[in-house]
Amino acid sequence: MKKKFTFQFKILNTFLLFALVIGCSQSAKKGVEGGSDYYSESYRPQYHFSPEYGWMNDPNGMFYYNGEYHLFYQYYPDSTVWGPMHWGHAVSEDLVHWKHLPIALYPDSSGYIFSGSAVVDWENTSGFGKDDITPLVAIFTNNDMTAEKAGEVGHQTQGIAYSLDDGRTWIKYRENPVLENPGIWDFRDPKVSWDEGIQKWIMTLAVHDHIEFYSSANLIEWKKESEFGKGVGAHGGVWECPDLFQLENKETGDKKWILLVSINPGGPNGGSATQYFVGDFDGNRFTTEQIEEKWIDYGRDNYAGVTWNDIPKRDGRRLFIGWMSNWQYAEKVPTEKWRSTMTIPRELILGKSGTDYFVNSVPIEELKQLRSSAIINGQMAVSDTISVDNQGLLLNNSELKFSFNMTKNIDKSSVSTEFGIILKNNLGEKLIIGYAPTSTQVFTDRNYAGVDTFSHNFASRQTAKYHTSDKLDFHVFIDEASVEIFINNGDIVMTDIVFPTVPYNGIEVYAKDGEVMLEKAEIWNLKSVW
């Protein structure tokens, strides 16, 4: 019996080993080809961009060239917390499906590779082009960590690199830096673009508590033009990751210049966030009549966002993406293999009310290709809490459109004091998205939305002032660990990461102390892009 058992055990061991090898081979194959085991970890986003492994923060160097949208990003491949910064790299043909590429820029003797931008040098002003190949030029901050630790104020300088093979490999300029530090601690995050008016490159640079503008004819020699921002806007923290571009109002034809400035801390609901200014730029100086603070996003988790360079004129959009986290807890969130995600790409649109200009953010049209069958709920009066039929659909990869009307068939004296949407799961966890007409506030409440013990800063209610007396549309994108809300076609945007213990699988609408009409509720499942 013993010999027979031993023989059978050996056969079983051999079979198990063979199965294990085959299984591992199949898993590896699925990982490479994007099969069912790929991007399947807890909280792994299914239609947002995230690195395969390691740490990610700010988007960098975005441009469009030869049919590809390029996305670079602050990257540390050896850990899931911030470390020596590289530039990670990915490309997409539609801003939805991404292909990971090898690391573009590595740290070197000049320091870590901090945030920056990249351009297509169409006229070869830099002289890097060869054999009629158009050079791509990246502009970035070198951060000398040895000098920083020694307390030297000149530890941040601006360097460049170029590519002659569609951005697949990058050659650092031998004479870096191209912009020396004048003796300022924070001197970083160059965003460069071509100015048609003055026929020069303009660099928008974050300098501690203000922005400085530089110009160049060749991307190598830079001249300081002006400064902006001291005493203007929000100053609760250091200014970072600026962007300067022009938008046209589609209804009036008015053109205004937009200056994005990220700030950490000092956001409207705590921690890091991105403010913007609407004004004019003459190639030398940016000016604005804006008095109040304006924010691209009032949620807790949209930071360091910038826009793509070189979008074709036939497209005409100004396309934006942000880092979907907050420095208050970014290194502590409950993911294991990777940390951080980008927002969905958005189009920025110039709006106008009276004499006031503002910037709306709307989801890009390309996201509609991910929709599967729609679930549509018709009109219903809401005066309490009512379940919405989502036909058993898990909501961890979904898109919602809920349209409320505060006047239809309702006496003004009986309009609800608060109404909205509740996303919930079987464990009683819930995320609330709502509007309070009496205080004119839209809000998200993630105090009971899921796992939050990793940081005392996480559980919170985010608010934004917004006045409407008629309709309120909530356009909501839900992924495995995030919710992005676009209110009334992007008048207000709120982006929050959430970590439900199990996926949300139920939707309720509610109204307090009165009534509101839900005119329509649409629900789509969204297909994974990985």
Side-chain angles (χ1 to χ4, degrees):
M1 288 291 294
K2 185 175 181 180
K3 289 184 179 179
K4 184 178 180 182
F5 176 80
T6 303
F7 177 69
Q8 288 176 337
F9 185 75
K10 286 181 178 179
I11 293 175
L12 180 61
N13 262 349
T14 303
F15 175 79
L16 288 174
L17 180 60
F18 178 77
L20 180 60
V21 170
I22 294 298
C24 290
S25 174
Q26 289 300 316
S27 294
K29 185 178 180 182
K30 285 181 179 179
V32 171
E33 296 180 354
S36 60
D37 293 335
Y38 188 58
Y39 270 43
S40 61
E41 308 93 340
S42 295
Y43 301 125
R44 173 67 83 170
Q46 293 303 298
Y47 61 91
H48 290 77
F49 179 84
S50 62
E52 290 186 294
Y53 55 88
W55 166 268
M56 177 183 75
N57 56 286
D58 308 356
N60 295 155
M62 291 129 60
F63 62 89
Y64 180 85
Y65 183 67
N66 273 356
E68 292 180 325
Y69 298 92
H70 288 256
L71 170 64
F72 301 84
Y73 50 91
Q74 292 287 278
Y75 185 46
Y76 183 37
D78 298 329
S79 177
T80 55
V81 297
W82 189 93
M85 284 292 98
H86 304 55
W87 268 24
H89 189 194
V91 293
S92 173
E93 295 181 357
D94 61 2
L95 289 168
V96 177
H97 299 86
W98 293 94
K99 177 183 178 181
H100 294 287
L101 294 180
I103 292 170
L105 296 171
Y106 287 81
D108 56 25
S109 59
S110 297
Y112 295 177
I113 310 296
F114 274 16
S115 290
S117 54
V119 298
V120 181
D121 186 8
W122 294 103
E123 301 299 324
N124 195 24
T125 63
S126 62
F128 295 141
K130 296 178 181 179
D131 301 324
D132 296 324
I133 298 175
T134 299
L136 310 174
V137 182
I139 307 97
F140 50 86
T141 297
N142 269 130
N143 191 87
D144 187 332
M145 291 302 295
T146 301
E148 179 182 347
K149 290 176 181 177
E152 299 177 18
V153 295
H155 63 283
Q156 292 183 343
T157 58
Q158 317 314 315
I160 60 176
Y162 64 94
S163 173
L164 301 176
D165 59 359
D166 289 347
R168 267 52 182 181
T169 59
W170 293 82
I171 303 166
K172 291 176 182 173
Y173 181 51
R174 291 182 180 180
E175 304 299 321
N176 278 338
V178 295
L179 183 58
E180 295 277 6
N181 190 305
I184 300 171
W185 186 264
D186 294 301
F187 188 73
R188 62 176 187 259
D189 308 340
K191 179 63 190 289
V192 172
S193 59
W194 179 256
D195 188 301
E196 287 286 349
I198 62 171
Q199 291 290 293
K200 286 185 179 181
W201 299 100
I202 294 294
M203 176 190 292
T204 308
L205 196 70
V207 185
H208 185 61
D209 63 350
H210 66 281
I211 298 300
E212 292 184 356
F213 299 100
Y214 292 78
S215 67
S216 174
N218 57 12
L219 294 166
I220 297 170
E221 300 163 309
W222 293 92
K223 172 191 173 186
K224 183 176 176 179
E225 295 287 346
S226 62
E227 299 181 0
F228 170 82
K230 292 182 178 179
V232 181
H235 282 274
V238 174
W239 281 23
E240 298 181 321
C241 302
D243 195 358
L244 178 70
F245 51 87
Q246 192 175 52
L247 288 180
E248 179 178 349
N249 182 280
K250 295 177 181 178
E251 295 181 358
T252 66
D254 296 346
K255 294 182 179 180
K256 303 297 289 186
W257 284 85
I258 311 300
L259 175 63
L260 304 183
V261 178
S262 288
I263 179 172
N264 177 48
N269 283 292
S272 39
T274 301
Q275 62 182 320
Y276 70 89
F277 302 90
V278 182
D280 298 291
F281 183 71
D282 61 4
N284 167 261
R285 189 174 300 275
F286 179 85
T287 57
T288 183
E289 298 178 358
Q290 181 177 316
I291 298 173
E292 73 280 10
E293 297 171 5
K294 298 186 177 189
W295 301 91
I296 283 289
D297 196 308
Y298 285 84
R300 296 287 302 280
D301 299 302
N302 182 358
Y303 188 61
V306 287
T307 63
W308 266 270
N309 282 329
D310 294 288
I311 298 298
K313 289 184 179 180
R314 65 180 180 276
D315 182 318
R317 294 177 295 176
R318 177 59 59 168
L319 299 171
F320 168 100
I321 201 170
W323 174 47
M324 195 154 56
S325 198
N326 191 306
W327 278 116
Q328 288 187 332
Y329 42 74
E331 295 180 295
K332 302 174 183 178
V333 297
T335 61
E336 295 180 0
K337 184 179 176 181
W338 89 102
R339 275 209 175 98
S340 294
T341 303
M342 295 300 179
T343 68
I344 57 172
R346 305 159 184 202
E347 179 185 1
L348 302 184
I349 298 172
L350 181 65
K352 187 178 183 182
S353 178
T355 59
D356 184 42
Y357 292 92
F358 53 89
V359 176
N360 281 18
S361 302
V362 297
I364 59 168
E365 287 291 313
E366 288 89 336
L367 288 164
K368 289 181 179 178
Q369 67 183 284
L370 300 181
R371 291 175 177 175
S372 58
S373 56
I375 301 169
I376 300 176
N377 286 264
Q379 188 178 99
M380 66 175 78
V382 182
S383 58
D384 200 346
T385 301
I386 302 174
S387 292
V388 175
D389 183 14
N390 59 310
Q391 298 180 15
L393 175 71
L394 292 179
L395 302 172
N396 46 335
N397 306 302
S398 61
E399 177 186 356
L400 317 177
K401 273 190 177 182
F402 279 54
S403 299
F404 291 92
N405 193 316
M406 291 179 281
T407 60
K408 191 170 184 178
N409 302 326
I410 299 172
D411 188 309
K412 289 185 178 181
S413 63
S414 64
V415 173
S416 171
T417 59
E418 179 183 311
F419 62 89
I421 307 164
I422 300 171
L423 307 177
K424 64 177 188 175
N425 62 23
N426 292 335
L427 298 180
E429 296 169 342
K430 60 183 179 179
L431 175 76
I432 306 173
I433 304 164
Y435 181 62
T438 51
S439 59
T440 61
Q441 282 190 337
V442 291
F443 65 88
T444 60
D445 190 334
R446 65 180 182 193
N447 276 297
Y448 309 99
V451 177
D452 58 23
T453 54
F454 54 87
S455 170
H456 69 274
N457 286 312
F458 190 78
S460 55
R461 178 182 169 109
Q462 290 67 246
T463 63
K465 277 285 186 181
Y466 184 67
H467 177 74
T468 180
S469 57
D470 187 5
K471 294 184 178 182
L472 201 77
D473 293 333
F474 293 97
H475 191 181
V476 184
F477 287 80
I478 309 164
D479 208 332
E480 297 286 341
S482 64
V483 179
E484 295 165 89
I485 304 132
F486 300 83
I487 295 168
N488 282 5
N489 203 35
D491 281 353
I492 295 287
V493 182
M494 306 188 85
T495 300
D496 286 310
I497 55 176
V498 289
F499 298 96
T501 307
V502 296
Y504 301 127
N505 62 350
I507 308 176
E508 295 175 339
V509 290
Y510 76 97
K512 293 183 178 179
D513 304 320
E515 190 175 61
V516 68
M517 185 67 71
L518 176 64
E519 293 193 321
K520 193 175 184 180
E522 298 173 275
I523 306 166
W524 294 270
N525 179 246
L526 299 182
K527 294 174 286 188
S528 174
V529 302
W530 301 106

